[in-house]
Amino acid sequence: MIISRIIGFESALPPFTVTNDDLAKIVDTSDEWISSRTGIRTRHLTADQNTSDLCIIAAEKLLKKAGWAPESVDLIVLGSVSPDYTTPRTACLVQEALGCKNAFCFDLAAACSGFIYSLSVADKFIKAGGVKRALVLGGETLSKITDWSDRSTCVLFGDGAGGVLMEASEEGGILCEDIHSDGSKGMALTAGYRTNKSPYYKGEPKSSEFIDMNGREVFTFATRKVPESIKTVLEKSGTAMEDIRYIVLHQANTRINDVIARKLKAPAEKFFTNIDRIGNTSGASVPIALAEMNEKGLLKKGDKILISGFGGGLTWATMLIEL
Ligand code: COA
């Protein structure tokens, strides 16, 4: 049986960081409010890079460390809701920069679940047999779709990118997944609404570039659906919580993740968190966390880890991976 093995974890963060005190100079907020409600203390924000720039840095490191020739990559999938262009997509920009000329490339927009959705899609291409090597990335420059006068959202987000390499294998890899969407609650978290501007369009022209969120609704959704999803993956795969080395949740908010941990009755040391330094980087948060864990030597061959993303759409997705 073909299994998609994951090799290599890398990330790229803009060098510029902004503290809660810095934000208190531009909106009516405080370090105490932000850190007590979200766990966030500082975040990286791009000063001159776009999403593709960060993705290219992460992807270059991945290929270099694995010793993969760029031409050997068959597929690039990139989870993002803040691409450089509508077209060409960021995955194509990465392809060009790296010289992955044999890959077919596309972006996948599933907000904060985007990286795990992308892993799932790449996994299916690998299992179907057409793809042997895939580059899967999550990259965001949310700062360009953030309303910097809205204190309820601008304090939450950060920029960054991360990714992994996937290869057809006979052992390890993606063992089980649980993936969902609920469009009926989509308006709880929106960005980038656009109506038509053609001379023939009769409706009211309207656009809203920025992220708009009902924080309480998103909080309730995440704390309800993510524990269910993780329990489903454990049951479907016949895995006990004790066999899981780490749980890497989308880094949206410490309070959300604490509630999820409580509902799962899982010990705090199983949960990796870096939200205090990174903020919410949407589709990039899980691969950025994995890269940091790898850098710190926390990821060991044979370990089973759970990764779970949740957010706009609404979407949520959990995956069990054996390293
Ligand atoms: N600084 C100070 N006050 C702020 C603030 C800020 N940055 N943002 C909001 N407030 C104020 C509000 O204006 C409101 O004031 P009011 O009572 O005078 O009207 C008050 O704080 C409470 O606002 P509310 O939105 O109800 O806060 P909350 O307790 O729900 O916390 C979130 C807000 C965003 C931290 C919380 O809802 C949350 O974590 N939601 C999940 C969001 C998330 O993680 N989304 C991404 C998922 S992918």
Side-chain angles (χ1 to χ4, degrees), residues 28-30 33-34 37-38 112 151-152 155-157 189 213 215-216 218-219 250 252-253 255-256 280 310-311:
D28 182 11
T29 191
S30 64
W33 195 97
I34 302 169
R37 285 198 178 53
T38 70
C112 308
R151 67 177 179 173
S152 68
V155 301
L156 303 176
F157 301 110
L189 176 46
M213 183 174 66
R216 296 230 163 153
V218 174
F219 195 101
H250 166 49
N253 182 315
R255 287 197 309 169
I256 292 181
N280 177 348
F310 51 85

Coordinates of all heavy atoms in Angstrom, one line a residue, residues 28-30 33-34 37-38 112 151-152 155-157 189 213 215-216 218-219 250 252-253 255-256 280 310-311, ligand 1:
D28 N -6.8 51.3 20.4 CA -7.1 51.4 21.9 C -7.1 50.0 22.5 O -8.1 49.3 22.5 CB -8.4 52.1 22.1 CG -8.8 52.2 23.5 OD1 -7.9 52.0 24.4 OD2 -10.0 52.5 23.8
T29 N -5.9 49.5 22.8 CA -5.7 48.2 23.4 C -4.6 48.2 24.4 O -4.0 49.2 24.7 CB -5.5 47.1 22.3 OG1 -5.6 45.8 22.8 CG2 -4.1 47.3 21.6
S30 N -4.3 47.0 25.0 CA -3.2 46.9 25.9 C -2.6 45.5 25.9 O -3.3 44.6 25.5 CB -3.7 47.2 27.3 OG -4.6 46.1 27.7
W33 N -4.8 43.2 27.9 CA -6.0 42.7 27.2 C -5.6 41.6 26.2 O -6.2 40.5 26.3 CB -6.7 43.8 26.5 CG -8.2 43.4 26.1 CD1 -9.3 43.7 26.8 CD2 -8.6 42.7 25.0 NE1 -10.4 43.2 26.2 CE2 -10.0 42.5 25.1 CE3 -7.9 42.1 23.9 CZ2 -10.8 41.9 24.1 CZ3 -8.7 41.4 23.0 CH2 -10.1 41.3 23.1
I34 N -4.7 41.9 25.4 CA -4.3 40.9 24.3 C -3.8 39.6 24.9 O -4.2 38.5 24.6 CB -3.3 41.5 23.3 CG1 -3.9 42.8 22.7 CG2 -3.0 40.5 22.2 CD1 -2.8 43.6 21.9
R37 N -6.4 37.5 26.9 CA -7.5 36.9 26.1 C -7.0 35.9 25.0 O -7.8 35.1 24.5 CB -8.4 38.0 25.5 CG -9.2 38.6 26.6 CD -10.4 39.3 26.0 NE -11.3 39.9 26.9 CZ -11.0 40.7 28.0 NH1 -9.7 41.0 28.2 NH2 -11.9 41.2 28.7
T38 N -5.8 36.1 24.5 CA -5.3 35.3 23.4 C -4.0 34.6 23.6 O -3.8 33.6 22.9 CB -5.1 36.2 22.2 OG1 -4.0 37.0 22.4 CG2 -6.3 37.1 21.9
C112 N -7.7 28.8 7.9 CA -6.7 28.3 8.9 C -6.6 26.7 8.8 O -5.8 26.2 9.5 CB -7.1 28.7 10.3 SG -7.3 30.5 10.3
R151 N -9.5 47.0 16.5 CA -8.7 46.4 17.6 C -9.1 45.0 17.8 O -8.4 44.2 18.4 CB -8.8 47.2 18.8 CG -10.2 47.2 19.4 CD -10.3 48.0 20.7 NE -11.6 48.0 21.3 CZ -11.9 48.5 22.5 NH1 -10.9 49.0 23.2 NH2 -13.1 48.5 22.9
S152 N -10.4 44.6 17.4 CA -10.8 43.2 17.8 C -10.2 42.2 16.9 O -10.2 41.0 17.2 CB -12.3 43.1 17.7 OG -12.8 43.3 16.4
V155 N -5.1 42.7 16.5 CA -4.1 42.2 17.5 C -3.9 40.7 17.4 O -3.0 40.1 18.0 CB -4.6 42.5 18.9 CG1 -4.8 44.0 19.1 CG2 -6.0 41.8 19.2
L156 N -4.6 40.0 16.5 CA -4.6 38.6 16.5 C -3.6 37.9 15.5 O -3.1 36.8 15.8 CB -6.0 38.0 16.2 CG -7.2 38.4 17.1 CD1 -8.5 37.9 16.5 CD2 -6.9 38.0 18.5
F157 N -3.4 38.6 14.4 CA -2.8 37.9 13.3 C -1.3 38.2 13.1 O -0.8 39.3 13.5 CB -3.5 38.3 12.0 CG -5.0 37.8 12.1 CD1 -6.0 38.8 12.2 CD2 -5.3 36.5 12.2 CE1 -7.3 38.4 12.3 CE2 -6.6 36.1 12.3 CZ -7.6 37.0 12.3
L189 N -16.7 34.5 9.8 CA -15.3 34.9 9.6 C -15.1 35.2 8.1 O -15.1 34.2 7.3 CB -14.3 33.8 10.1 CG -12.8 34.0 9.9 CD1 -12.3 35.4 10.2 CD2 -12.1 33.0 10.8
M213 N -14.7 39.4 11.8 CA -14.9 38.2 12.5 C -15.8 38.4 13.7 O -15.7 39.4 14.4 CB -13.5 37.7 13.0 CG -13.6 36.4 13.8 SD -12.0 35.7 14.2 CE -11.5 36.9 15.3
G215 N -15.8 37.0 16.9 CA -14.9 36.2 17.7 C -15.5 35.1 18.5 O -15.1 34.0 18.7
R216 N -16.7 35.5 19.1 CA -17.3 34.6 20.1 C -17.8 33.3 19.3 O -17.8 32.2 19.8 CB -18.5 35.2 20.8 CG -18.0 36.4 21.6 CD -18.6 36.3 23.0 NE -17.8 37.1 23.8 CZ -18.3 37.7 24.9 NH1 -19.5 37.5 25.3 NH2 -17.5 38.5 25.6
V218 N -16.7 32.1 16.5 CA -15.5 31.3 16.1 C -15.0 30.5 17.3 O -14.7 29.3 17.2 CB -14.4 32.2 15.5 CG1 -13.2 31.3 15.2 CG2 -14.9 32.8 14.2
F219 N -15.0 31.1 18.4 CA -14.5 30.5 19.7 C -15.4 29.3 20.0 O -14.9 28.2 20.2 CB -14.6 31.5 20.8 CG -13.8 31.1 22.0 CD1 -12.6 31.6 22.3 CD2 -14.4 30.1 22.9 CE1 -11.9 31.2 23.4 CE2 -13.7 29.7 24.1 CZ -12.4 30.3 24.3
H250 N -3.9 24.4 15.3 CA -3.8 25.7 14.8 C -3.7 26.7 15.9 O -4.4 26.7 16.9 CB -5.1 26.0 13.9 CG -5.2 27.5 13.6 ND1 -4.2 28.2 13.0 CD2 -6.3 28.3 13.7 CE1 -4.6 29.4 12.8 NE2 -5.9 29.5 13.2
A252 N -4.5 29.7 17.1 CA -5.4 30.9 17.0 C -5.4 31.7 18.3 O -5.5 32.9 18.3 CB -6.8 30.4 16.6
N253 N -5.5 30.9 19.4 CA -5.8 31.5 20.7 C -5.5 30.5 21.8 O -6.0 29.4 21.7 CB -7.3 31.9 20.6 CG -7.7 32.6 21.8 OD1 -7.4 32.2 22.9 ND2 -8.5 33.7 21.6
R255 N -6.6 30.4 24.7 CA -7.8 30.0 25.4 C -8.6 28.9 24.7 O -9.1 28.0 25.3 CB -8.7 31.2 25.7 CG -8.2 32.1 26.8 CD -9.2 33.1 27.3 NE -9.9 33.8 26.2 CZ -11.0 34.5 26.4 NH1 -11.6 34.6 27.5 NH2 -11.5 35.1 25.3
I256 N -8.7 29.1 23.3 CA -9.3 28.0 22.5 C -8.6 26.7 22.8 O -9.2 25.6 23.0 CB -9.3 28.4 21.0 CG1 -10.2 29.6 20.7 CG2 -9.7 27.1 20.2 CD1 -10.2 30.0 19.3
N280 N -1.6 34.5 15.2 CA -2.4 33.6 14.4 C -2.0 33.8 12.9 O -2.2 34.8 12.4 CB -3.9 33.9 14.6 CG -4.8 33.0 13.7 OD1 -4.3 32.4 12.8 ND2 -6.0 33.0 14.0
F310 N -8.5 24.8 12.1 CA -9.9 25.3 12.1 C -10.0 26.7 11.8 O -9.1 27.5 12.2 CB -10.5 25.0 13.5 CG -9.7 25.5 14.6 CD1 -9.8 26.8 15.1 CD2 -8.7 24.7 15.2 CE1 -9.0 27.3 16.1 CE2 -7.9 25.2 16.3 CZ -8.1 26.5 16.7
G311 N -11.0 27.1 11.1 CA -11.2 28.6 10.9 C -12.2 28.8 9.8 O -13.2 28.1 9.6
Ligands
COA1 N1 -8.2 45.6 23.2 C1 -9.1 46.0 24.1 N2 -10.4 45.8 24.1 C2 -10.9 45.1 23.0 C3 -10.0 44.6 22.0 C4 -8.7 44.8 22.1 N3 -7.8 44.4 21.2 N4 -10.8 43.9 21.2 C5 -12.1 43.9 21.6 N5 -12.1 44.7 22.7 C6 -13.3 45.0 23.5 C7 -14.5 45.0 22.7 O1 -14.7 46.3 22.1 C8 -15.6 44.8 23.8 O2 -15.8 46.0 24.4 P1 -17.3 46.4 24.9 O3 -17.7 45.4 25.9 O4 -17.0 47.8 25.5 O5 -18.1 46.4 23.7 C9 -14.9 43.8 24.8 O6 -13.5 44.0 24.5 C10 -15.3 42.4 24.6 O7 -15.2 42.1 23.2 P2 -15.5 40.7 22.7 O8 -15.3 40.6 21.2 O9 -16.8 40.2 23.3 O10 -14.3 39.9 23.4 P3 -14.1 38.4 23.7 O11 -14.0 38.2 25.1 O12 -15.0 37.5 22.9 O13 -12.6 38.2 23.1 C11 -11.5 37.4 21.1 C12 -12.4 38.5 21.7 C13 -11.3 37.7 19.6 C14 -10.2 37.3 21.8 C15 -12.3 36.0 21.3 O14 -13.7 36.2 20.9 C16 -11.7 34.9 20.6 O15 -10.6 34.5 21.0 N6 -12.3 34.4 19.6 C17 -11.7 33.5 18.7 C18 -11.1 34.2 17.5 C19 -10.1 33.5 16.8 O16 -9.2 33.0 17.4 N7 -10.3 33.5 15.5 C20 -9.4 33.0 14.6 C21 -9.8 31.5 14.4 S1 -9.1 31.0 13.0

